[in-house]
Amino acid sequence: MRQLSKILLFWLVVGAFSDEHNHIYDTNEEVVLWMNTVGPYHNRQETYNYFSLPFCVGSKESISHYHETLSEALQGVELEISGIDMDFKTNVAKTEYCAVQLDEAKYKAFVYAVKNHYWYQMYIDDLPIWGVVGEVKDNNFYIWTHKKFEIGYNGKQIIDVNLTSEDKVELSSTRKLSFTYEVTWKKTDTKFEDRFDKYLDHNFFQHRIHWFSIFNSFMMVIFLVGLVSMILMRTLRKDYARYSKDDDVDDMERDLGDEYGWKQVHGDVFRPASNPLVFSALIGAGHQLTTVVLSVIIFAILGELYTERGMLLSTAIFVYAVTGPVNGYFGGSLYARMGGKLWIRQMVASAFMVPVFVCGTAFVINFIAMYYHASRAIPFETMVAVICICTFVILPLTLVGTVLGRNLAGQPDYPCRINAVPRPIPEKKWFMEPGVIILLGGVLPFASIFIEMYFIFTSFWAYKIYYVYGFMLLVFVILIIVTVCVTIVCTYFLLNAEDYRWQWTSFLAAGSTSAYVYIYAIYYFFFKTKMYGLFQTTFYFGYMALFSGVLGIICGTVGYIGTSIFVRKIYSTVKID
């Protein structure tokens, strides 16, 4: 599966050079140590180029800088050659590879890094290695100058890499630092397929609290589905009986009666939503995002995408690009059924709604990252590549989907006629107002996923690798079921109050889950992280806004889909004069 993904993602490689990614080495063959980034331990997302600190480069010559794939560029990967000479299965005794004469500026740079607990990251054969720059002791600042590598191999493949930092040297503005390294190769019986297991924190993700949260959410689904089914079936059965009885009464007696309930708005319930262009674009984007999330989770389960650098994001970009027809089909067909005429404008809005949201947020973050000279700053070539993907891949595929949707599913087939004049919406109790329903609609969906949010946030903002995608798939399915059930109940109450504005209400009631997720993200920032400063704060809240916004579009679309099926079902089973 990983090999298939690599082939499919080949077209995303931007300005790439070939690398040692076949993972096969002969004895004495060159092994490259790549230096990646350095940054504060308390925010793994704030990273800078490794050589932004006054480290030195070894004598070995090779390419000095490259981005292998589009996803790595977006993630701030800054691979640079270390200059350290390594050969497969060749031990190296303690050897000096470079030296740095400190001056006042270099001294202050190292002191700042040590004081702020800077860590650095390196790669050998795609295996990440982390090391600490130095430490503070008795108000003195020390830096580690010796790197001891212990590399495990099985046959012709590298299995394991361990780094030990040694030779602690006190910093001073006049000291000359000599950096040394040594390499020891050891044979291991671990299989290549299992070499990434050492990076996975099983105790954290397999904790009983995690299992309990899944079980609790699952029981909530069973209870909620049963409760919704029982309430709606019993209530609807009474409604059907009352409406059937009313059908046997002549018009004069019916007019003198006190009719009420959802049947009274049958002539308006299928009226197009206000601002149908934006609404249909959101629904189309929601279909596409739901497809992307499900596909990436399944690919991660089958192919263990987390073991390949940047592969998860590359897969997400690829799947999003090729699922443009899904967006166009559902968004375009809905817009046509609502009587929309500006279908080209709708198609463009549908295709670019999410990319503009993502790129706009990323642009603000990128501007600040460039000010701080962080590796998270996206290169100009990568921006051009993203624009090309949106213009030459996503837009044409969305156009194809829109044309198919308008022609195959664009004709309205509602079970009830739409009245020429909208029916007045009667006054109702405050808790039946759409605003209140929208506010409360996301509570239960958020309750079903908030514990999983902790694990996802921790894996992204702390030094954890998220690998339990089976849990994620189960939680995502639970979220969909809970969202549909809650939205159906909210819509039934709204229609029973003779308010036919259910389209936007159902979308926003389900989408309000994202507001609660963002509130939780604010709590997580202040109580679970140690981030500070403009860069870290902007980066955190910007990307949390993206995460919450995408989740809101997905939940809103799912809620609307379930509600539209429910509405069509109840109005198609009642005799309408």
Side-chain angles (χ1 to χ4, degrees):
M1 178 60 69
R2 290 201 297 266
Q3 195 65 27
L4 176 61
S5 300
K6 289 179 182 178
I7 296 173
L8 294 176
L9 295 168
F10 176 77
W11 65 278
L12 287 175
V13 177
V14 180
F17 296 87
S18 61
D19 195 14
E20 65 281 357
H21 287 322
N22 60 359
H23 304 296
I24 302 296
Y25 298 88
D26 293 324
T27 302
N28 297 326
E29 184 177 348
E30 177 188 64
V31 175
V32 180
L33 172 65
W34 296 104
M35 315 307 289
N36 185 21
T37 54
V38 64
Y41 174 78
H42 295 302
N43 183 11
R44 64 174 293 190
Q45 303 302 327
E46 180 185 353
T47 55
Y48 303 93
N49 182 284
Y50 177 82
F51 292 106
S52 62
L53 289 180
F55 288 115
C56 55
V57 184
S59 58
K60 181 180 177 182
E61 295 182 0
S62 184
I63 58 173
S64 61
H65 179 80
Y66 83 112
H67 283 302
E68 184 191 0
T69 64
L70 176 64
S71 63
E72 288 182 338
L74 293 173
Q75 289 179 310
V77 174
E78 292 276 358
L79 296 183
E80 295 198 33
I81 188 67
S82 64
I84 295 178
D85 192 18
M86 287 188 186
D87 295 320
F88 188 66
K89 294 198 294 187
T90 301
N91 293 332
V92 178
K94 186 174 182 179
T95 304
E96 178 180 331
Y97 64 91
C98 69
V100 175
Q101 177 62 54
L102 295 183
D103 54 24
E104 192 65 27
K106 294 178 180 178
Y107 167 75
K108 289 182 178 179
F110 275 128
V111 167
Y112 180 84
V114 173
K115 186 184 298 184
N116 288 274
H117 309 287
Y118 268 45
W119 284 52
Y120 56 84
Q121 186 184 53
M122 305 179 291
Y123 282 99
I124 291 180
D125 192 51
D126 277 351
L127 291 174
I129 316 161
W130 293 276
V132 64
V133 174
E135 68 174 29
V136 182
K137 187 176 182 180
D138 299 329
N139 293 324
N140 295 319
F141 302 96
Y142 298 87
I143 189 172
W144 302 102
T145 60
H146 179 64
K147 296 178 176 65
K148 181 179 180 180
F149 297 94
E150 292 185 357
I151 307 177
Y153 67 93
N154 189 344
K156 295 185 176 183
Q157 295 176 312
I158 294 176
I159 304 299
D160 181 44
V161 181
N162 291 304
L163 171 67
T164 304
S165 298
E166 298 178 349
D167 294 354
K168 184 170 60 176
V169 177
E170 184 177 357
L171 290 170
S172 68
S173 59
T174 58
R175 182 180 292 275
K176 182 178 181 180
L177 300 177
S178 297
F179 291 94
T180 58
Y181 80 105
E182 65 177 293
V183 182
T184 303
W185 293 84
K186 295 183 178 180
K187 189 174 182 179
T188 179
D189 295 328
T190 304
K191 296 181 179 179
F192 181 81
E193 294 78 13
D194 301 326
R195 69 175 189 159
F196 215 79
D197 289 350
K198 63 170 288 187
Y199 299 100
L200 308 181
D201 192 342
H202 297 284
N203 293 329
F204 178 74
F205 287 103
Q206 302 289 346
H207 196 277
R208 58 184 179 183
I209 293 179
H210 201 179
W211 284 102
F212 177 76
S213 70
I214 300 295
F215 176 77
N216 187 51
S217 299
F218 183 71
M219 295 305 295
M220 179 191 296
V221 166
I222 296 177
F223 174 76
L224 190 60
V225 171
L227 184 64
V228 169
S229 300
M230 182 181 67
I231 292 176
L232 288 183
M233 290 307 298
R234 293 187 62 181
T235 306
L236 288 173
R237 190 179 297 113
K238 292 179 181 179
D239 290 342
Y240 290 146
R242 177 162 58 89
Y243 291 142
S244 298
K245 181 179 179 181
D246 290 343
D247 290 336
D248 298 331
V249 180
D250 57 35
D251 293 339
M252 182 63 70
E253 292 177 345
R254 184 181 301 127
D255 292 338
L256 295 175
D258 55 345
E259 283 193 357
Y260 64 92
W262 51 266
K263 184 183 177 183
Q264 309 315 310
V265 294
H266 66 84
D268 298 282
V269 72
F270 294 108
R271 190 176 299 282
S274 59
N275 205 339
L277 190 150
V278 175
F279 185 77
S280 59
L282 283 169
I283 296 301
H287 277 87
Q288 184 180 14
L289 289 172
T290 305
T291 304
V292 171
V293 170
L294 285 173
S295 300
V296 172
I297 292 176
I298 292 173
F299 286 152
I301 293 173
L302 298 178
E304 296 183 350
L305 300 181
Y306 57 85
T307 63
E308 297 287 344
R309 190 175 61 240
M311 186 61 70
L312 194 65
L313 181 58
S314 294
T315 304
I317 295 173
F318 174 78
V319 175
Y320 184 84
V322 300
T323 52
V326 176
N327 185 339
Y329 182 88
F330 289 100
S333 61
L334 178 61
Y335 186 65
R337 290 196 300 273
M338 289 183 173
K341 303 299 182 183
L342 305 174
W343 69 272
I344 295 180
R345 186 178 299 178
Q346 186 277 335
M347 181 269 298
V348 173
S350 187
F352 289 134
M353 177 173 288
V354 172
V356 167
F357 173 49
V358 173
C359 293
T361 305
F363 177 79
V364 175
I365 298 173
N366 194 57
F367 182 78
I368 296 175
M370 292 174 63
Y371 175 78
Y372 280 87
H373 304 287
S375 66
R376 289 288 175 175
I378 302 174
F380 177 76
E381 298 83 1
T382 304
M383 296 181 185
V384 173
V386 171
I387 294 174
C388 290
I389 291 173
C390 294
T391 305
F392 300 111
V393 179
I394 296 177
L395 185 61
L397 290 179
T398 306
L399 174 61
V400 172
T402 301
V403 172
L404 291 175
R406 291 180 60 85
N407 287 276
L408 298 179
Q411 296 300 319
D413 55 347
Y414 305 128
C416 306
R417 294 193 310 271
I418 300 176
N419 294 335
V421 179
R423 188 176 190 270
I425 299 174
E427 292 186 2
K428 48 187 174 294
K429 298 199 182 260
W430 65 270
F431 54 82
M432 290 294 185
E433 291 293 335
V436 178
I437 291 176
I438 290 170
L439 185 63
L440 299 178
V443 174
L444 279 179
F446 171 72
S448 67
I449 64 170
F450 86 96
I451 294 181
E452 192 66 25
M453 288 296 99
Y454 171 76
F455 291 96
I456 294 175
F457 285 9
T458 303
S459 67
F460 189 78
W461 297 109
Y463 292 88
K464 304 286 184 183
I465 297 176
Y466 192 92
Y467 68 96
V468 285
Y469 288 94
F471 279 163
M472 181 180 286
L473 179 61
L474 182 58
V475 170
F476 188 69
V477 172
I478 289 173
L479 174 64
I480 290 176
I481 296 173
V482 173
T483 301
V484 169
C485 291
V486 170
T487 313
I488 287 176
V489 173
C490 292
T491 301
Y492 175 75
F493 289 150
L494 187 72
L495 294 177
N496 226 30
E498 300 181 21
D499 190 337
Y500 51 82
R501 298 170 296 179
W502 64 274
Q503 290 102 328
W504 274 109
T505 303
S506 63
F507 181 89
L508 294 176
S512 66
T513 305
S514 62
Y516 294 101
V517 170
Y518 199 72
I519 292 173
Y520 177 73
I522 296 174
Y523 161 81
Y524 187 89
F525 177 83
F526 287 106
F527 295 98
K528 299 296 182 181
T529 72
K530 296 182 180 180
M531 300 182 190
Y532 62 92
L534 177 64
F535 177 81
Q536 297 182 22
T537 303
T538 305
F539 195 94
Y540 179 88
F541 285 105
Y543 278 97
M544 284 296 96
L546 283 182
F547 177 82
S548 301
V550 168
L551 182 65
I553 295 175
I554 292 174
C555 290
T557 301
V558 168
Y560 170 77
I561 294 171
T563 303
S564 62
I565 295 173
F566 167 75
V567 171
R568 180 179 293 273
K569 179 67 176 177
I570 63 173
Y571 282 97
S572 63
T573 54
V574 174
K575 180 180 177 181
I576 304 295
D577 294 329

